[in-house]
Amino acid sequence: LSYGAIVFVIALAAGLVISMSIFIHSFSSTVKSWLSTVTFHDVYIQHQSNTIQYPIALPSQVDDLIKKAPDSFTISTLFRIPFIYNGLPAQIVFRQDIHDPDFSRFVFKSKQPGPYSPNDVFITEPFAYKHKVRLGDELILNGILSTPVRVAGITYDFVSEFGQITANNQLFLQTNQKMNLHGIAIKSNESQLLDQFVVTISNLPGVVVASQKTIFDTTMKIFNDTFAFTWFVVILTSLIAIFSLVNLLTIVCINRKNELIQLWHVGFNSNELTRVILAQISIITTVSSGLSVFIGFSLYALIVYGIQQPTFNWSIFLTIPWTFIIVAPLFVILLSLIIGLIFMRTVGHTIGK
């Protein structure tokens, strides 16, 4: 193999590991940051069979409990309607006041300046991409709302790749007398009263309650479980990269054996021969390490902008795992030097004969 091919093979194997590590780290950091903003209530309550695609309403007794709840509670309600928009699945979520951060909080990609009207809605990034909707556009949702609505904001969202519209409750109640509850979230500074309320509402049939921490931890566990196979691929690729490194550098050392013998005969001692081998290996691995970082970032861009975003329409913010980026090339260089020392120790007695 030519030295150029050896450099490229090592760089490509290491670049694959770097790209996947950057992707997973960036995706995880993006989801964590988003979750920390949108999950700000103390407890979240829903029916145990409730899902995004198939919402199940809470028991009617929940309405009565909400009406009797202490004034110190800030209660945010959620009503979800799945529907088909332009031939694609979507959903609309109704909340008390989407513009009031006491009830709802969002991470905006873009947003219209206020003031806002009751007919203003927010759409998620996947909805905007799938249906080519922009800020200020009007949406007509026949069978759900009687009047057109204006897109006042586009939000980041990682709940569903199908897209979502978030609107105020009063839009739905203009033409409907009652709204079912698919979920409620409560925030309160009075923990004792909140605990009592949670105990009471937990006794209702089918009702499940989760704390903010539970929601956060469960979501991140689902994320980590989803990428468990990806981590397996990263580890497998790492082992292949190490094997390739050992194999290719061994070939380099073996190919230099005759040259080392000639250098021995013209007066080089074993220490000088070792320095020659280590210098060449260092050059190969240093160039490979630098190239691997470039390949890693290039493959990351391909994964995010060529595969992930066109498929799921989610934006991922680049977060570089600096520790890994720094340690990985140093590990390659160190392992290469060890291979060179082992080679010189193994063949040193042969050269001297």
Side-chain angles (χ1 to χ4, degrees), residues 222-334:
I222 293 173
F223 175 89
N224 293 330
D225 290 344
T226 301
F227 282 91
F229 179 74
T230 307
W231 277 118
F232 169 76
V233 173
V234 171
I235 294 172
L236 182 61
T237 306
S238 301
L239 295 176
I240 294 173
I242 293 173
F243 175 79
S244 300
L245 177 67
V246 173
N247 188 47
L248 293 173
L249 291 181
T250 301
I251 293 174
V252 170
C253 292
I254 292 173
N255 289 341
R256 293 298 303 273
K257 183 176 179 180
N258 291 334
E259 297 177 35
L260 294 175
I261 293 174
Q262 293 175 7
L263 292 174
W264 175 270
H265 288 305
V266 298
F268 278 61
N269 59 37
S270 60
N271 290 334
E272 291 171 329
L273 293 177
T274 299
R275 284 197 292 269
V276 169
I277 281 293
L278 294 184
Q280 184 176 15
I281 289 177
S282 297
I283 292 172
I284 292 174
T285 53
T286 300
V287 174
S288 298
S289 297
L291 185 58
S292 70
V293 174
F294 172 77
I295 292 175
F297 277 95
S298 299
L299 290 175
Y300 166 80
L302 175 63
I303 293 170
V304 172
Y305 300 108
I307 300 175
Q308 188 280 138
Q309 199 167 73
T311 303
F312 297 100
N313 305 124
W314 292 332
S315 288
I316 296 176
F317 303 109
L318 176 63
T319 306
I320 302 174
W322 286 112
T323 301
F324 181 83
I325 296 296
I326 294 172
V327 170
L330 292 177
F331 173 77
V332 170
I333 294 172
L334 178 61

Side-chain angles (χ1 to χ4, degrees), residues 163-239:
Q164 174 178 294
I165 302 170
T166 305
N168 288 312
N169 284 349
Q170 64 187 91
L171 271 175
F172 183 80
L173 294 174
Q174 286 175 358
T175 54
N176 297 272
Q177 294 183 347
K178 187 179 179 183
M179 173 184 295
N180 290 326
L181 295 180
H182 292 137
I184 62 173
I186 306 173
K187 190 170 183 62
S188 175
N189 293 326
E190 300 185 36
S191 58
Q192 186 173 357
L193 289 177
L194 181 60
D195 290 342
Q196 293 173 356
F197 184 86
V198 167
V199 170
T200 302
I201 203 168
S202 297
N203 291 327
L204 296 178
V207 173
V208 291
V209 181
S211 66
Q212 179 189 26
K213 183 178 184 304
T214 300
I215 291 291
F216 189 93
D217 292 344
T218 301
T219 303
M220 292 312 303
K221 183 180 184 303
I222 293 173
F223 175 89
N224 293 330
D225 290 344
T226 301
F227 282 91
F229 179 74
T230 307
W231 277 118
F232 169 76
V233 173
V234 171
I235 294 172
L236 182 61
T237 306
S238 301
L239 295 176

Side-chain angles (χ1 to χ4, degrees), residues 27-41 44 105-107 156-159 211-224 317:
F27 205 168
S28 177
S29 298
T30 300
V31 172
K32 283 181 180 178
S33 176
W34 172 76
L35 270 177
S36 64
T37 299
V38 300
T39 55
F40 62 95
H41 292 89
Y44 295 82
R105 296 179 189 176
F106 304 90
V107 180
Y156 295 109
D157 183 87
F158 300 94
V159 173
S211 66
Q212 179 189 26
K213 183 178 184 304
T214 300
I215 291 291
F216 189 93
D217 292 344
T218 301
T219 303
M220 292 312 303
K221 183 180 184 303
I222 293 173
F223 175 89
N224 293 330
F317 303 109

Side-chain angles (χ1 to χ4, degrees), residues 56 68 155 267 275 333:
I56 303 296
K68 298 175 184 178
T155 66
R275 284 197 292 269
I333 294 172

